Every structure is written in C-alpha cells, then in structure tokens.
Amino acid sequence: MILLIMVAAVAGDAAAQGRYAWRDVQSVETAKPVNNPRNMDGIEVYSRRGVLIVRLPERAQVAVMTILGQTISKTVLTAGLHELPIVAHGIYIVKINDFTLRVAV
C-alpha cells in the first residue's frame, strides 16, 4: 500500500513539472521583492499575481514546491532574470542552492 502511494506522488510531481516552465525575461515590472538580496549572495526573488520571478547572479539549482511539499519545478537556471507562471495562488517554498524561502504568489 505504501509503495502505491509513493509511486502516485512521484508521478504527480513529474506531471506538475511538465505544466510549469521557466521563461527568460528582461525586466521586473510591478513585482514586489520577497527577500533581501544582500543576505542571499545577490539572488533576488519577486512575486506578482500568478508569477514567481528570480534574478540570479550565477547559474543555480532552483526548486519550487507547494506548501505541502509537492515539487512543481526543479531545474538549473543560468544567470539572469527568469519567471515561472504559477496557476494556483498560494504559498510556495523556493529553494535556490542553499537558500530556502517562502513566497506568496
């Protein structure tokens, strides 16, 4: 029984990652900062309605999870400004390299 639940959870994570895709962007308009970049090696995180925005000074491993722990995106992003459209509003856990923070989208 436990094995079936774990297989369903992994399949759900893979399906969720297929729905969410990071895009490169040029600017952050009407987005509010979520963190203090000086405390996170220059990494900036922003949110606006339905979008998570990350500015990275260098290549980084980025994972985004729901508050319940379901992974919706896990990838390596290059330096620059990237956004992830998120359909469901709520609180998300964002892990960038060794830094973890909660973000309301």
Side-chain angles (χ1 to χ4, degrees):
M1 185 66 146
I2 294 173
L3 179 61
L4 293 175
I5 294 170
M6 290 180 66
V7 169
V10 171
D13 285 352
Q17 287 188 47
R19 286 191 302 255
Y20 298 95
W22 287 93
R23 299 184 296 215
D24 293 338
V25 292
Q26 300 301 315
S27 66
V28 179
E29 297 177 13
T30 66
K32 61 181 180 178
V34 175
N35 70 319
N36 181 346
R38 286 179 291 160
N39 296 338
M40 291 183 60
D41 294 339
I43 297 169
E44 300 174 37
V45 180
Y46 301 89
S47 71
R48 66 171 186 251
R49 190 171 182 91
V51 180
L52 173 68
I53 303 163
V54 176
R55 183 185 311 266
L56 301 170
E58 59 189 24
R59 184 179 167 168
Q61 173 77 36
V62 179
V64 180
M65 295 157 282
T66 66
I67 198 73
L68 299 175
Q70 179 185 15
T71 301
I72 63 169
S73 176
K74 186 173 184 181
T75 189
V76 175
L77 295 174
T78 59
L81 189 61
H82 310 277
E83 70 176 24
L84 178 68
I86 297 178
V87 179
H89 301 290
I91 306 292
Y92 291 87
I93 307 296
V94 179
K95 183 169 177 149
I96 304 171
N97 291 337
D98 294 333
F99 301 102
T100 303
L101 58 139
R102 289 175 296 180
V103 179
V105 176

